[in-house]
Amino acid sequence: MANKKINVDLSDSFEKIPVKIFATPQLGSQFVAIEIANLIKEKQRKGEDCILGLATGSTPISLYAELVRMHQQEGLSFKNVITFNLDEYYPLQRKALQSYSSFMHRHLFNHIDIDPENIHIPNGELPKEDVKKHCLKYEQLIEAVGGIDLQILGIGNNGHIGFNEPGSSIFSKTRMVTLDNITRIANAYEFQNISQVPRMAVTMGISTILKAKKILLMAWGMKAPIVAKAAEGFVTEQVPASILQQHNDCTFVIDETASTELTRIKSPWLTGECEWTPQMIKRAVIQMALKTKKPILSLTSHDYNENGLGDLLAEKGEAYEINLQVYYMLRDSITGWPGGKPNAIIPAHPERSEPHPKRCVIFSPHPDDDIISMGGTFMRLHDQGHEVHVGYQTSGNIAVTDEFVTRFLDFAVGFEDLFGIDNQKTKQVLTEAANFLAGKKPNQLDTDEIRAIKGLIRRCEAKATCRYIGLKDENCHFLNLPFYETGAVEKKPMSEADVEITMAFLRKIKPHQIYCAGDLADPHGTHKVCLDVVFESMRRIKAAGDKWVKDCWVWLYKGAWQEWDIADIEMAIPMSPDQIVKKRFGIFIHQSQKDMVPFQGSDSREFWQRAEDRNLNTAKLYADLGLTKYAAMEAFVRWHY
Ligand code: F6R
């Protein structure tokens, strides 16, 4: 293991590992793919084998897609490549859909010219007594081929690398481990159900990983907190990835979202000079106020100097003037009129007062995101006389439990019985569905009929919520975007059809306002695709010169998983205690999502609790900063296109 630092200029950051930030995961993956391809070719020229250490999980999927493309379109050959995967679940059959062996073949090996003999993946199907010997042999095999030239890593939210969970020794080698509960919950989406996630795994050890000549760790999206901890924090076995600080050639390759907790991004004034734009001042002052637990208007010059903001003070003068500037920015983001206040001229108001009423489109990625994420604003828009339309982007059919299907079919049969309607066909559908579900294997895809029924259940819930708000049925639009309809957790990428459906819908309504989920932290990526579809549709409509588009403003809300940073919020809509309760009941209408949903993620709170906690917290943050204390608030950021 080497412990010398490489010659990278880290002087303007707090990072102890070089971090390369890319605009998107695709660009980051392309960078890593080029590194791999160059290494393979260099080794080819020398007549040597190229030894790669590979990872699984959601992170490297786009990397493998790029390598496959390079093989198919650019003739990159993998004939001289020998691979060692980091880990495998235990116990699990290689052939199982969820095994890392299946994953690797599905995403990479089946599509390239690697010699199958050169593929090594820890074996998760051996009897327990043989695992130790297998692990020893795995280590010997790596050494026999001269060690790993390039190791690819992902990172768990708890900082694990491979399946080396917090507490793993720096000296650990390939071995059997028990999975952390956080990991089992995070990976439950691969298995449909947490109880099916194996409790153990076979993984390369930390010392095995550190022996690699070069390491590239990739991280996208919601990994920001753990990336910052690993790259900037102390080296500790409690955050296994932080041990990579002791390697002499390790780089983190991350996207912008995963970079947001790095000091140079979050608080750039602490790592060197920065340009004091109004937004940067707002961020710096809000962070200082929250850290010192003082309202904005109580911050003093002493606070500025003590918190690394002496430069700002020197440049802008009086603390009180800066405080006022930030206070007004926060104050002006608050409004009870999300569609603009009619007949009022308020220059700093987040929305225009004209035209009034407006045509508003709320895009809801799943059938309940509208009410969960912006239920209070939804109600206000309708109550204040705007013409509100909801575009439900996906059917959401995958997140309905099987029990719901038989329950509703039972209802359909009973309903027809009650009114003497011929129910031969319904009974047949019920029997077939019940038979299928009784023998359904873990992870088996539903039949088309069952998926359609699950979609219908969610559609009825969405319609009921819209009626509850006061919308007419014709204002609920079910777009059923095709990218979602795989029947499985893994979705197709955005396609032409998704964009065409969305453009046609927008051109029909010609909205003045659009709300959509600006969510990059959706665990399964659906929200992100839904957002990309809206962005692409708007860009194309604008390029085509449709007149209405220049008067259309796009507001982004966050989905169920997190909230905007308080400093980024451009429109905050207060909610009264009554509105909080009304929103809660609106969320309850989505009965198929109550209590236990198939894709809960690592947060065990129900959706209404997450929504409420988050809205209460936003109101509390505003109050802590010295603004009026509302019961709750929903928050939006504007997208300029
Ligand atoms: C996978 C592995 C894990 C993952 C990590 C991140 O072979 O060893 O350490 O890299 O759990 O998983 P994703 O990429 O799914 O977030």
Side-chain angles (χ1 to χ4, degrees):
M1 185 214 316
N3 50 15
K4 192 162 43 81
K5 286 265 153 230
I6 49 165
N7 200 10
V8 173
D9 182 14
L10 300 174
S11 56
D12 63 348
S13 77
F14 281 30
E15 293 142 34
K16 297 173 194 135
I17 293 179
V19 181
K20 281 188 184 291
I21 305 172
F22 291 85
T24 63
Q26 280 68 30
L27 292 172
S29 302
Q30 275 168 22
F31 169 82
V32 177
I34 290 170
E35 290 277 310
I36 294 177
N38 287 345
L39 186 66
I40 295 175
K41 286 187 225 160
E42 185 194 317
K43 294 275 184 181
Q44 270 163 8
R45 277 193 298 274
K46 292 189 195 157
E48 291 175 5
D49 287 331
C50 177
I51 321 299
L52 297 179
L54 298 178
T56 53
S58 59
T59 307
I61 290 180
S62 45
L63 164 67
Y64 296 147
E66 179 59 11
L67 288 175
V68 170
R69 191 200 63 74
M70 286 174 155
H71 170 69
Q72 291 172 345
Q73 295 177 11
E74 296 170 8
L76 175 66
S77 170
F78 290 77
K79 284 269 189 247
N80 66 326
V81 173
I82 300 177
T83 63
F84 288 89
N85 262 81
L86 278 167
D87 41 20
E88 179 60 281
Y89 289 112
Y90 186 91
L92 192 62
Q93 298 296 306
R94 269 173 218 255
K95 289 258 160 349
L97 191 68
Q98 306 89 343
S99 79
Y100 284 165
S101 173
S102 299
F103 175 99
M104 288 307 300
H105 285 85
R106 201 162 57 241
H107 289 283
L108 185 66
F109 298 146
N110 288 348
H111 315 286
I112 58 175
D113 61 347
I114 190 167
D115 179 349
E117 300 261 300
N118 286 348
I119 297 171
H120 304 91
I121 303 175
N123 189 341
E125 55 184 27
L126 291 173
K128 226 172 182 167
E129 56 277 16
D130 294 345
V131 172
K132 238 187 180 151
K133 220 164 86 202
H134 170 66
C135 292
L136 190 65
K137 197 157 161 233
Y138 205 71
E139 293 272 332
Q140 287 166 348
L141 269 174
I142 297 175
E143 282 190 18
V145 295
I148 289 173
D149 294 310
L150 172 57
Q151 175 67 55
I152 302 299
L153 294 177
I155 179 169
N157 279 315
N158 59 1
H160 74 207
I161 45 176
F163 274 141
N164 295 286
E165 302 289 21
S168 297
S169 159
I170 192 164
F171 302 110
S172 54
K173 297 205 164 94
T174 305
R175 68 204 187 287
M176 176 121 93
V177 292
T178 303
L179 294 179
D180 201 295
N181 216 30
I182 297 182
T183 301
R184 292 187 65 237
I185 292 168
N187 292 8
Y189 76 93
E190 296 168 358
F191 289 83
Q192 296 265 3
N193 184 332
I194 176 84
S195 62
Q196 288 162 15
V197 184
R199 290 176 189 279
M200 312 197 86
V202 178
T203 181
M204 279 187 196
I206 299 202
S207 82
T208 329
I209 293 172
L210 287 174
K211 273 189 231 151
K213 290 164 198 137
K214 181 183 175 82
I215 299 177
L216 292 175
L217 180 147
M218 304 190 295
W220 323 128
M222 56 178 179
K223 300 278 174 65
I226 194 66
V227 164
K229 247 184 170 174
E232 297 187 351
F234 294 114
V235 175
T236 160
E237 287 171 349
Q238 290 313 311
V239 181
S242 69
I243 300 174
L244 296 171
Q245 292 180 21
Q246 300 192 342
H247 193 276
N248 74 343
D249 191 359
C250 171
T251 303
F252 282 10
V253 177
I254 66 176
D255 70 344
E256 278 178 3
T257 320
S259 76
T260 49
E261 292 292 321
L262 292 174
T263 308
R264 69 168 145 138
I265 306 293
K266 192 173 182 184
S267 320
W269 52 91
L270 296 178
T271 60
E273 282 194 15
C274 79
E275 198 195 332
W276 285 113
T277 59
Q279 182 55 23
M280 190 67 85
I281 296 175
K282 186 179 176 196
R283 266 168 60 191
V285 174
I286 288 176
Q287 271 183 38
M288 169 173 46
L290 294 174
K291 189 169 152 218
T292 56
K293 297 196 168 54
K294 281 185 172 185
I296 301 274
L297 295 178
S298 302
L299 293 165
T300 62
S301 313
H302 180 73
D303 293 322
Y304 277 72
N305 284 325
E306 284 282 288
N307 288 282
L309 292 176
D311 278 3
L312 172 62
L313 204 55
E315 195 175 312
K316 301 285 171 197
E318 285 286 298
Y320 193 67
E321 289 303 320
I322 309 173
N323 292 349
L324 269 181
Q325 178 187 337
V326 175
Y327 178 84
Y328 290 147
M329 285 170 97
L330 280 164
R331 185 199 61 187
D332 293 340
S333 65
I334 302 173
T335 176
W337 299 85
K341 190 165 185 178
N343 307 318
I345 302 166
I346 316 171
H349 196 277
E351 248 299 348
R352 307 145 292 168
S353 37
E354 297 300 326
H356 186 90
K358 291 186 172 59
R359 278 186 305 279
C360 311
V361 162
I362 299 175
F363 279 109
S364 185
H366 297 100
D368 52 356
D369 289 306
D370 51 351
I371 186 79
I372 289 174
S373 299
M374 53 170 290
T377 308
F378 189 178
M379 289 175 221
R380 277 190 192 249
L381 286 169
H382 175 264
D383 296 347
Q384 290 169 359
H386 302 287
E387 181 186 316
V388 183
H389 295 261
V390 187
Y392 293 101
Q393 293 174 280
T394 71
S395 67
N397 57 13
I398 190 168
V400 176
T401 55
D402 295 340
E403 189 272 329
F404 257 80
V405 175
T406 31
R407 187 194 303 186
F408 277 91
L409 281 177
D410 225 11
F411 175 85
V413 172
F415 176 87
E416 288 169 346
D417 260 345
L418 201 61
F419 295 102
I421 303 167
D422 174 18
N423 60 11
Q424 280 302 103
K425 178 76 188 160
T426 319
K427 274 188 177 146
Q428 187 194 335
V429 175
L430 173 60
T431 314
E432 282 171 9
N435 287 342
F436 171 81
L437 294 175
K440 188 174 157 186
K441 303 211 175 55
N443 256 333
Q444 186 178 350
L445 296 191
D446 283 327
T447 60
D448 289 349
E449 289 76 22
I450 291 182
R451 271 161 60 194
I453 296 164
K454 289 185 172 181
L456 176 63
I457 291 170
R458 295 210 73 181
R459 237 178 5 256
C460 291
E461 290 172 345
K463 268 192 187 159
T465 312
C466 284
R467 278 185 216 124
Y468 173 76
I469 302 280
L471 251 55
K472 296 196 213 96
D473 279 1
E474 57 265 33
N475 287 24
C476 309
H477 309 264
F478 295 94
L479 307 180
N480 288 321
L481 296 184
F483 85 87
Y484 182 88
E485 297 302 320
T486 58
V489 175
E490 231 169 271
K491 306 295 185 299
K492 287 182 274 187
M494 170 175 97
S495 74
E496 245 345 89
D498 300 307
V499 178
E500 274 164 25
I501 292 169
T502 306
M503 283 172 68
F505 168 60
L506 285 169
R507 283 183 157 145
K508 192 168 87 185
I509 312 286
K510 298 186 178 57
H512 303 102
Q513 258 197 340
I514 292 175
Y515 291 86
C516 52
D519 226 321
L520 301 165
D522 172 26
H524 313 300
T526 298
H527 282 209
K528 177 71 174 65
V529 182
C530 286
L531 182 66
D532 288 344
V533 171
V534 177
F535 283 179
E536 182 60 21
S537 304
M538 288 301 283
R539 284 195 201 102
R540 287 200 202 174
I541 294 173
K542 190 178 177 195
D546 290 34
K547 286 211 186 62
W548 60 271
V549 128
K550 66 178 179 358
D551 293 322
C552 179
W553 286 21
V554 179
W555 290 101
L556 305 179
Y557 62 85
K558 283 270 187 202
W561 317 99
Q562 20 156 247
E563 187 52 280
W564 296 110
D565 188 305
I566 177 105
D568 293 331
I569 296 172
E570 290 176 86
M571 180 160 76
I573 310 293
M575 294 164 74
S576 68
D578 284 350
Q579 278 173 328
I580 296 174
V581 175
K582 184 160 181 201
K583 171 171 170 172
R584 187 189 307 163
F585 289 159
I587 299 174
F588 285 175
I589 293 174
H590 292 269
Q591 278 184 340
S592 71
Q593 303 301 295
K594 248 197 82 49
D595 299 329
M596 218 340 251
V597 290
F599 302 106
Q600 181 81 38
S602 54
D603 187 337
S604 60
R605 291 171 302 166
E606 285 190 34
F607 286 125
W608 70 270
Q609 290 168 311
R610 297 185 207 194
E612 236 165 85
D613 288 353
R614 171 175 135 188
N615 296 157
L616 263 51
N617 187 51
T618 305
K620 180 179 176 306
L621 283 174
Y622 269 91
D624 289 348
L625 294 170
L627 288 107
T628 307
K629 174 128 181 59
Y630 289 95
M633 278 173 156
E634 288 173 344
F636 303 87
V637 165
R638 202 175 146 203
W639 178 63
H640 298 268
Y641 56 98

